[in-house]
Amino acid sequence: MGTKSGRGFLYLLILFFLCAAPCHGDALFIHDYKIREYLVGEKEAELAIAYTDEGMFIDKNTRYTGTWMKRFFGKVEENRETTHFLLKKNQICEIDWYGDKIIVFPFAKLSHVTLIKKPKKETEELEEFLKARYRVSEPRFSINSFPEKEKINHYLCQRAEASLRLETRDVKKNAMSVTLVNQKVWVSDEVPGFDEYDDFHKKLGKRTGLDAQRLGSLSFLLRYWKGSLDPIRESLKDIRGYPVKSILTVEGQYTKDTDKDSPTTHSFEIKEELMQLREVLLNKSDKSRFEAPADFRVVNATP
């Protein structure tokens, strides 16, 4: 079930043959990644992230292993996403493995990955409609870090748990939708290559205007937090280290007849993600993992 552009979980990248110098990884992190999603089912992935003096290089190979997906495709469907963030060029590029092309765009577009802008009039009309029908409550965020250390994959880790509650009321239908996002993460600054990881994310934050803490250990959860990080910044500062293990769950709740004495609530699991660091390689990055064929065409993203 490969997405044609690969836009989604990873954002995007630039090819080795576009670079002036070869990519030799200062630090290469390899993770095992398991996902269970509502309707889609189970997926397994290998996620490789390399940090060099040029930037960050990401490659994610996903296998859709769920029974329903295997019946639908008649086999285990696979998908690949590869992304490069080049600091010196201020560019992000994506290898579109299914379109035989490379999409290149500037850091300025990082927070607008779809590169699609609706006409102003259409946007204003939509906003007015949403305001009239829906009431969105302030997000409720909590985070706790625990002083006791736990050993994960030979690394002494600090554990933290965070939760986010998002609530929207449908005035017309007298209904309420709630999304509950929870993440447990184990981080360690003892992981080899942590300095390269930390340095890159700070630089990327400065270049793009994105908050560096949004790109760190709790990035999975914070993708659901759309506002400023100021209210939770102090709590985030207590969590320092490379994410050795992360468990993310997203649960949905839909309540109807909220105007009655006995409303009905239906709960369902939207997603569960488990990511764990398998190994770290220093100065041993496999270039072929991140390369695209030389005949792929280069396409500049539309402003």
Side-chain angles (χ1 to χ4, degrees):
M1 180 178 157
T3 57
K4 296 298 182 182
S5 67
R7 293 186 183 122
F9 171 75
L10 287 180
Y11 302 147
L12 318 112
L13 86 208
I14 206 159
L15 291 298
F16 279 11
F17 62 81
L18 293 178
C19 304
C23 173
H24 42 276
D26 296 322
L28 172 62
F29 301 88
I30 301 176
H31 311 77
D32 292 316
Y33 193 22
K34 294 184 179 180
I35 312 103
R36 185 172 66 245
E37 288 185 303
Y38 183 64
L39 295 180
V40 175
E42 296 177 350
K43 298 184 285 185
E44 295 180 355
E46 181 180 82
L47 177 65
I49 307 176
Y51 294 92
T52 79
D53 58 355
E54 295 175 71
M56 176 173 66
F57 302 81
I58 305 175
D59 187 61
K60 184 184 179 190
N61 287 276
T62 303
R63 301 173 69 248
Y64 293 78
T65 58
T67 303
W68 184 86
M69 296 295 289
K70 285 193 286 188
R71 287 203 304 266
F72 182 81
F73 288 105
K75 61 177 182 176
V76 175
E77 182 70 3
E78 298 185 0
N79 180 43
R80 185 177 182 187
E81 299 168 81
T82 309
T83 304
H84 297 192
F85 295 79
L86 298 187
L87 290 174
K88 293 180 180 179
K89 291 179 177 287
N90 284 324
Q91 287 181 329
I92 310 164
C93 298
E94 171 188 324
I95 298 177
D96 182 352
W97 295 101
Y98 308 96
D100 298 341
K101 61 184 178 182
I102 305 150
I103 304 169
V104 183
F105 55 91
F107 277 169
K109 293 294 183 181
L110 181 59
S111 58
H112 305 283
V113 178
T114 60
L115 301 177
I116 298 174
K117 292 185 178 180
K118 295 182 179 180
K120 185 177 180 181
K121 187 174 186 301
E122 180 183 341
T123 302
E124 291 175 349
E125 290 175 351
L126 177 60
E127 288 179 353
E128 289 301 318
F129 168 77
L130 294 176
K131 286 180 181 179
R133 178 163 176 175
Y134 298 99
R135 300 290 183 269
V136 180
S137 301
E138 285 294 320
R140 284 157 46 185
F141 182 90
S142 66
I143 183 168
N144 293 295
S145 55
F146 301 87
E148 59 272 15
K149 302 288 187 177
E150 298 181 36
K151 186 160 283 190
I152 307 287
N153 283 13
H154 310 295
Y155 303 115
L156 204 57
C157 298
Q158 175 194 7
R159 176 169 63 94
E161 296 183 7
S163 63
L164 177 64
R165 176 188 172 91
L166 305 171
E167 179 182 307
T168 301
R169 292 182 177 271
D170 187 330
V171 177
K172 182 178 180 180
K173 291 187 175 182
N174 292 313
M176 178 175 67
S177 297
V178 174
T179 302
L180 303 172
V181 188
N182 295 282
Q183 185 176 3
K184 296 180 181 178
V185 63
W186 289 259
V187 299
S188 175
D189 56 9
E190 297 180 356
V191 176
F194 169 69
D195 289 340
E196 287 81 358
Y197 157 86
D198 190 50
D199 181 62
F200 170 80
H201 285 288
K202 287 178 180 176
K203 289 178 179 177
L204 181 63
K206 290 180 181 179
R207 295 285 184 90
T208 62
L210 288 176
D211 200 309
Q213 289 175 312
R214 219 177 247 290
L215 307 171
S217 304
L218 292 176
S219 59
F220 281 11
L221 182 143
L222 292 177
R223 78 182 78 156
Y224 296 91
W225 178 279
K226 305 303 182 183
S228 169
L229 294 184
D230 288 344
I232 58 177
R233 192 174 305 283
E234 290 303 314
S235 298
L236 293 173
K237 286 181 180 178
D238 294 334
I239 303 175
R240 173 179 167 79
Y242 190 87
V244 177
K245 181 179 179 180
S246 172
I247 301 173
L248 176 82
T249 60
V250 184
E251 179 185 350
Q253 295 179 351
Y254 182 77
T255 303
K256 62 180 182 179
D257 300 326
T258 56
D259 59 331
K260 297 181 179 179
D261 293 335
S262 301
T264 303
T265 299
H266 173 62
S267 300
F268 55 98
E269 181 187 76
I270 299 174
K271 178 186 293 188
E272 180 181 61
E273 299 180 352
L274 169 63
M275 187 168 70
Q276 185 156 326
L277 180 64
R278 185 202 307 166
E279 62 178 326
V280 181
L281 301 174
L282 301 180
N283 300 314
K284 295 181 181 179
S285 179
D286 180 5
K287 290 195 302 180
S288 64
R289 180 187 294 270
F290 303 100
E291 290 177 339
D295 59 349
F296 273 31
R297 69 187 189 279
V298 178
V299 178
N300 289 316
T302 304

